Amino acid sequence: MACPRLSYSVALCLALSFSARATARAQAPNEAWRTIETPHFFVHFPRALEPMARRAGGSAERAYGALAPLLRPPRGRIDLVVTDHVDYSNGFAYVSPSPRIVVFARPPVDDRTLRFRDDWLDLVIQHELVHVFHLDRTRGWWRVAQVVFGRQPMLFPNAWAPSWLLEGLAVYYESKLGDGGRLEGMAHQQYVNARALDGTVPKLGAWSRATLDFPGGTNAYVFGSLFVQSMAGRASGGVEKFVERSSGRFNPWAFDGDARRTFGVSFSEQWTTWRDSVVRAVGAGPGGAGPASGGRALTSARWLVRLPRLAPDGRLLYVASNGRDVGGLYELPAGLDAVPRRIARRNSLDANVALADGRVLFGQNEYEDPWRLRSDLWVREADGREHALTHGARLFAIDASARTGAIVAVQNVPGTTRLVRVGADGAVTPLTSAHPDTNWSAPRWSHDGTRVAATRWVRGGTMSIMLIAAATGATRTLAAARGVLDNPSWTMDDQAVLFAVNVDGVSRLWSVDVAGGTLRAGAAAVTAVDVPEATAQGVVAIETRGAGERLIVEPAPSTPSTLAGIADSQNEPPAEPAAGTVQPYRPLRQLVPRYWLPSIETTDENNVRYGASISSSDIVDRHFYAATYEREPTRGENTGSVVYRWAGFGQPLVDLAYRQTWDHTPLADSAQAVVGTLGRRRRFIGSQLTVIRQRVRTSALLAGSAELELRDFVTDPAPLLGALGSPLLLRTLKYPTFSLYAGWGNTRRPILALGPEDGISLAAQARWRWRTDDAAATRSATYIGSASAFRSLGFIAGPAHHVVALHGVVGMADDKTNTELQAGGTSGSSVELAPGVMVGDVRRTFQVRGFAPGAQRGIRALGGSAEYRAPLAMPNWGARFVPFFAQRVSATLFADAGAAWCPAGSARGVGCVRGPTTREWMASVGGELVMDAAVLNYDVPYRLRVGWARPVSGSAYAEKPDGAVYFSLGAGF
């Protein structure tokens, strides 16, 4: 997000852009960060994570050694961050301004595609390191360009690859170089089988992270990894040769040609072969075209379904996110033969457990601050009120005994998980120990409340279904294998434990007798069948299909079987921990500028101005800066800006800025002949403090900024300055400004939503400016307030909700102001296609589509818009290797109205050039065709709008009274 200079109108832009960076990267900049050096890495970590950071350093060095003989190593040492500020699993990498990797210190115990792993830390580091090796490799004219411009993000040829190729390569190598990768775990194959089973295998260009097809961005990993694996089988060492060849290609999108020269077949040709093989394999596989044998569907397949739990009264509770709505709690009544009913909203899809007294216990995520997201135990009372029972306890996978009320849960601890008991007062007591080579998950109470069944993973990939005695804590292994054994639950009589198994690429539900240890297998399925729950009607489970997940019910496992695991081909011991000395975190090295961008602009006199810009930040986002410099050689004038952001306090965020501009006014004599030019230099020195209150369901922001404007004047020729006769032009004028901004919002945004839904957003801003050059006009003030409301129409069918949106804004300033309130024009956003080449609109406070920008001006302004937004299609279509991905298409009908004027008694001035003016309403109606599409990349969608607006009032101010077509980017509000 690009923001203009510090002022009252951009406080939200600055704060939200930083908040987005902070919450997305999840490094807390106010931590006590430390650093350990290894031969190829700087490992950064919070003080409490030193043991894990040393382990990560050793793992990274081993991964580097395994990858270096295959791919060309990156240039320079790599920054590696180990952080534990969010309660979910992730990692990411990037190579500009320097090679960097971030790893979240939470094992992926609840990620279906990552349940099989030898060591989760080895896996994620290996995966992200592949990205660094792959993206950093640059040859040919790209390397020449980097010699000139540095590590500019657009000058890495492999960064132009679609996400399925980037992630497919990384998953391929994570599986090739170590046991336990996602290809060996075979969960990806089950997603592909589900799409093939329903005849919805997406085309090659549709594997974008921006896709709205199930399972969303995971498609890039699923299809990319299996497809790259199929290509690798065509030529020995072909993947390495392809990476090297593609690192120097002239055309950044010529992937098919590189593939044909490397593998003997293009990606496009191989896709047809691979798709046909998948479809054939599914047709010949077990399970036929339905779920497991004897099963029947209880719900339709829509996006995500999680963790069915039987309530004491026979109802079945489960959590789901169907795409149209935000995640929520649903129920099927006893008998499981009715339409599901939504009960409540949920922040996360964790287990909900009904107690006999009518309460429901559940785990849910909530922000502590913009960087820390924690999961806790919550309670829904019988009357519907909900509250947190724990705070910062990091609990999930909750279960409670219906008989005793005892609570068990999984607790995140740095680098691993453990089982804990939770008291009625929220007190947490460990039930198992915490060790980095052992992860616990999915605990379930027996119906009699005496035992807990749970999943245990140990390094090497062995998963076990464990039995824990509640009274003594003694453990016993019920079943174990190197593979996926997960999500145990008890049969109705507590005689056996049900669980899900995938050890050979085929998904089955199994059971094990608690007393005798007899194993029984259920019917096989070509797609995933998971999370069994015993009911009177049979075993309820979650089945994956092409459109999403659904609940099915099938017979209990009945065929006596033996359980064989996946063979272990390497069985590597843990890497030696990094032994470097702990040092204070020093970000200066990261902040040295690594690239620059040239710029060419025209001035207000149509002269050419040349310049450059630089920017950088450190890996924990404590520091950020950007600077521009431009020179106009004809007059020798310099313009530019410097912005610096400090987040080391956590809250508030501190911004400092300096900017210099020039503008020019022709000077004429009494005969109106131009005799010279008056040049005005304006310098702005500003600072801003921003406080953000981030929550899952609401967000709030408060920002205050102070700015000093300095004005100097020159003339060409120089003697004209004195001849103008104004003493103000002979000295530096000073204009201090102070601004406040406050905002709050609670809108929702489901997966498939067109935009904000079902909530409101409020904003208020005030600006006070002092004029030190005029004692009679010491201060001016401007106030603006706005409100937006959004309501979804859930009764209208379709892939996404139809939405009614309303927006209103009011502004006022006194007649001493140095700016105007302007009404008219189309509001939107802009994109810089190339240095100095902008496309789109600016954000307009008082938009009235169909009228010229600033058609009316004054010190009072009103504006309002009403929109009806309707989904038309979700094509999820990509043009193979052309960087364009059409995500969704919608239509908007709108009505705008606005006016700006100077009320009676207004003095002439900057805000009221003509003195008092009459309020005349401008109004228009029209429609827009809206496409959300990834343009110039494959994964980040931009909103493209083509509209037609017809003025219905105030046509004298209209650009075209009979209506006009316009193009814009972004949303109007």
Side-chain angles (χ1 to χ4, degrees):
M1 179 183 293
C3 298
R5 68 182 177 91
L6 289 171
S7 70
Y8 74 102
S9 63
V10 300
L12 179 63
C13 176
L14 283 169
L16 290 188
S17 66
F18 188 87
S19 177
R21 286 164 54 90
T23 55
R25 296 190 175 181
Q27 298 95 262
N30 59 334
E31 269 286 2
W33 291 95
R34 298 291 183 266
T35 302
I36 295 173
E37 294 186 29
T38 71
H40 299 101
F41 296 87
F42 295 101
V43 184
H44 312 291
F45 55 93
R47 182 182 300 167
L49 289 186
E50 181 180 340
M52 185 179 178
R54 291 189 180 278
R55 183 168 177 152
S59 178
E61 287 294 341
R62 183 165 67 182
Y64 192 105
L67 201 55
L70 302 176
L71 301 178
R72 189 69 64 90
R75 294 159 286 174
R77 200 174 287 184
I78 302 167
D79 288 287
L80 168 63
V81 160
V82 180
T83 179
D84 192 31
H85 299 105
V86 294
D87 284 343
Y88 58 86
S89 306
N90 204 354
F92 55 88
Y94 50 107
V95 294
S96 179
S98 61
R100 301 177 181 186
I101 295 174
V102 175
V103 173
F104 297 2
R106 181 193 186 269
V109 296
D110 46 5
D111 187 319
R112 292 186 177 183
T113 66
L114 287 167
R115 286 186 294 189
F116 179 68
R117 57 199 185 275
D118 266 10
D119 183 288
W120 73 269
L121 187 59
D122 287 350
L123 187 149
V124 68
I125 289 176
Q126 183 76 76
H127 180 99
E128 302 305 338
L129 191 60
V130 172
H131 286 319
V132 172
F133 272 66
H134 179 210
L135 295 176
D136 188 75
R137 181 63 178 140
T138 307
R139 298 187 301 110
W141 79 269
W142 300 90
R143 178 59 66 89
V144 174
Q146 285 191 2
V147 170
V148 177
F149 298 106
R151 300 178 65 90
Q152 204 275 332
M154 298 179 69
L155 296 180
F156 290 87
N158 289 325
W160 292 88
S163 56
W164 67 261
L165 184 53
L166 296 175
E167 301 302 345
L169 283 168
V171 174
Y172 168 76
Y173 278 113
E174 87 185 23
S175 305
K176 176 180 179 178
L177 299 179
D179 284 355
R182 276 168 277 193
L183 288 175
E184 189 176 3
M186 292 166 285
H188 282 185
Q189 187 65 59
Q190 293 172 337
Y191 280 106
V192 172
N193 289 350
R195 298 297 296 269
L197 193 65
D198 289 345
T200 60
V201 177
K203 294 184 178 180
L204 189 62
W207 303 344
S208 167
R209 275 193 293 246
T211 182
L212 298 175
D213 279 345
F214 172 80
T218 303
N219 277 297
Y221 297 79
V222 169
F223 289 94
S225 61
L226 292 170
F227 188 67
V228 169
Q229 185 183 48
S230 76
M231 293 293 290
R234 300 186 64 94
S236 177
V239 175
E240 291 78 32
K241 296 174 184 176
F242 171 79
V243 170
E244 189 67 12
R245 176 172 279 129
S246 65
S247 302
R249 65 185 180 277
F250 180 81
N251 179 353
W253 302 299
F255 297 100
D256 256 356
D258 289 338
R260 185 178 291 107
R261 286 187 290 272
T262 303
F263 301 103
V265 63
S266 70
F267 286 132
S268 302
E269 294 163 341
Q270 177 68 9
W271 175 80
T272 301
T273 302
W274 176 77
R275 178 203 57 192
D276 293 344
S277 69
V278 170
V279 173
R280 286 195 303 270
V282 170
S293 177
R296 65 181 178 91
L298 300 176
T299 64
S300 59
R302 288 292 304 275
W303 273 85
L304 305 177
V305 175
R306 294 287 185 269
L307 301 167
R309 295 294 176 86
L310 191 66
D313 58 6
R315 293 176 300 140
L316 188 74
L317 302 182
Y318 66 96
V319 286
S321 178
N322 60 18
R324 276 173 56 96
D325 304 293
V326 295
L329 172 63
Y330 293 79
E331 70 171 8
L332 280 169
L336 311 182
D337 55 359
V339 176
R341 182 174 73 92
R342 183 182 172 96
I343 299 175
R345 181 181 178 184
R346 288 291 177 262
N347 295 352
S348 47
L349 302 185
D350 204 353
N352 281 245
V353 182
L355 302 181
D357 59 7
R359 293 182 300 152
V360 176
L361 303 180
F362 59 99
Q364 182 166 258
N365 290 334
E366 187 56 275
Y367 283 99
E368 293 181 349
D369 59 33
W371 300 277
R372 295 171 175 85
L373 181 69
R374 297 303 188 209
S375 180
D376 275 292
L377 172 59
W378 288 64
V379 180
R380 177 181 173 86
E381 303 290 350
D383 60 6
R385 292 180 296 110
E386 297 180 350
H387 60 89
L389 184 61
T390 64
H391 298 276
R394 312 188 66 183
L395 305 177
F396 67 103
I398 311 297
D399 195 41
S401 169
R403 178 177 178 182
T404 67
I407 303 169
V408 65
V410 181
Q411 184 179 46
N412 288 314
V413 294
T416 188
T417 59
R418 65 184 178 188
L419 301 184
V420 297
R421 295 278 296 268
V422 185
D425 59 353
V428 175
T429 304
L431 186 60
T432 63
S433 59
H435 191 279
D437 288 337
T438 303
N439 302 155
W440 290 88
S441 60
R444 295 297 305 273
W445 281 105
S446 61
H447 294 86
D448 62 15
T450 62
R451 295 160 293 178
V452 172
T455 302
R456 185 185 68 185
W457 169 94
V458 296
R459 193 183 189 285
T462 297
M463 298 184 74
S464 307
I465 304 300
M466 303 298 296
L467 192 66
I468 305 171
T472 64
T475 62
R476 178 162 64 95
T477 301
L478 296 177
R482 187 172 184 270
V484 174
L485 285 68
D486 205 2
N487 291 306
S489 66
W490 295 81
T491 57
M492 301 289 285
D493 58 7
D494 281 349
Q495 297 301 304
V497 172
L498 303 164
F499 56 103
V501 173
N502 178 14
V503 293
D504 54 4
V506 176
S507 181
R508 288 182 174 88
L509 301 183
W510 287 60
S511 70
V512 56
D513 293 340
V514 174
T518 301
L519 288 166
R520 294 181 173 85
V526 296
T527 179
V529 179
D530 204 358
V531 196
E533 178 76 356
T535 71
Q537 290 74 30
V539 178
V540 172
I542 298 171
E543 184 199 26
T544 301
R545 297 300 295 236
E549 297 165 347
R550 67 182 183 181
L551 293 179
I552 63 171
V553 59
E554 63 177 53
S558 58
T559 304
S561 303
T562 57
L563 191 56
I566 302 171
D568 188 351
S569 60
Q570 297 187 34
N571 193 24
E572 288 186 318
E576 287 294 323
T581 303
V582 175
Q583 307 171 19
Y585 173 69
R586 297 184 178 95
L588 182 60
R589 171 188 51 82
Q590 303 172 52
L591 298 174
V592 174
R594 303 297 182 94
Y595 65 87
W596 65 279
L597 286 172
S599 62
I600 302 176
E601 295 181 349
T602 57
T603 69
D604 55 357
E605 297 180 298
N606 289 322
N607 293 328
V608 179
R609 187 163 55 203
Y610 305 91
S613 63
I614 60 172
S615 65
S616 191
S617 64
D618 67 319
I619 195 170
V620 303
D621 286 322
R622 182 177 291 175
H623 305 269
F624 167 80
Y625 73 88
T628 64
Y629 171 78
E630 294 170 335
R631 182 171 178 81
E632 196 272 283
T634 302
R635 294 193 178 277
E637 295 171 348
N638 300 317
T639 60
S641 64
V642 178
V643 175
Y644 171 74
R645 178 177 297 144
W646 161 256
F649 296 135
Q651 301 267 31
L653 311 177
V654 180
D655 292 279
L656 303 173
Y658 172 81
R659 184 170 68 107
Q660 177 170 296
T661 66
W662 281 91
D663 57 66
H664 307 85
T665 303
L667 297 175
D669 59 16
S670 58
Q672 300 304 310
V674 176
V675 296
T677 302
L678 175 67
R680 179 177 64 171
R681 181 180 67 167
R682 304 172 70 190
R683 291 170 290 166
F684 302 88
I685 305 169
S687 64
Q688 179 170 289
L689 301 179
T690 305
V691 176
I692 303 170
R693 186 184 186 275
Q694 181 67 56
R695 296 294 183 267
V696 172
R697 302 187 186 185
T698 65
S699 60
L701 178 147
L702 178 64
S705 65
E707 183 179 77
L708 176 64
E709 178 186 350
L710 305 174
R711 292 186 185 180
D712 300 288
F713 299 88
V714 298
T715 57
D716 181 19
L720 279 177
L721 187 62
L724 292 176
S726 173
L728 295 179
L729 301 180
L730 301 176
R731 61 189 177 94
T732 298
L733 306 180
K734 301 176 182 179
Y735 302 94
T737 301
F738 179 72
S739 305
L740 285 176
Y741 179 93
W744 182 88
N746 69 343
T747 57
R748 306 180 184 187
R749 192 153 190 162
I751 297 170
L752 303 178
L754 304 180
E757 296 182 359
D758 298 318
I760 62 174
S761 60
L762 305 173
Q765 46 192 317
R767 174 178 179 264
W768 297 273
R769 184 173 184 270
W770 285 262
R771 295 180 58 186
T772 60
D773 61 299
D774 186 354
T778 56
R779 184 178 66 106
S780 64
T782 303
Y783 307 96
I784 296 176
S786 65
S788 300
F790 307 88
R791 177 66 177 177
S792 65
L793 306 179
F795 57 87
I796 301 178
H801 288 142
H802 293 236
V803 175
V804 174
L806 302 174
H807 176 71
V809 59
V810 57
M812 63 176 295
D814 56 34
D815 52 16
K816 303 170 186 176
T817 184
N818 71 318
T819 58
E820 307 161 301
L821 302 178
Q822 302 181 10
T826 300
S827 181
S829 60
S830 60
V831 174
E832 189 172 17
L833 299 180
V837 181
M838 304 296 295
V839 175
D841 288 296
V842 299
R843 179 67 58 185
R844 303 188 193 280
T845 305
F846 302 92
Q847 88 164 341
V848 187
R849 284 162 277 197
F851 291 81
Q856 292 183 0
R857 303 167 183 247
I859 61 173
R860 300 288 188 274
L862 294 171
S865 298
E867 293 188 351
Y868 182 86
R869 304 170 180 175
L872 298 180
M874 295 191 177
N876 291 301
W877 176 85
R880 293 196 174 177
F881 295 105
V882 176
F884 179 87
F885 180 81
Q887 188 186 55
R888 61 163 71 82
V889 180
S890 61
T892 298
L893 300 177
F894 68 82
D896 292 341
W901 73 99
C902 292
S906 300
R908 289 180 180 270
V910 175
C912 295
V913 177
R914 296 177 296 162
T917 56
T918 304
R919 183 177 67 190
E920 299 179 64
W921 284 99
M922 299 181 295
S924 64
V925 296
E928 295 179 344
L929 184 65
V930 182
M931 175 180 284
D932 294 322
V935 182
L936 298 182
N937 57 59
Y938 300 88
D939 300 316
V940 181
Y942 296 93
R943 176 151 290 184
L944 314 177
R945 298 157 50 207
V946 177
W948 178 82
R950 178 182 175 84
V952 296
S953 178
S955 58
Y957 298 95
E959 294 178 297
K960 294 183 179 180
D962 293 330
V965 176
Y966 61 89
F967 170 80
S968 187
L969 299 176
F973 66 91

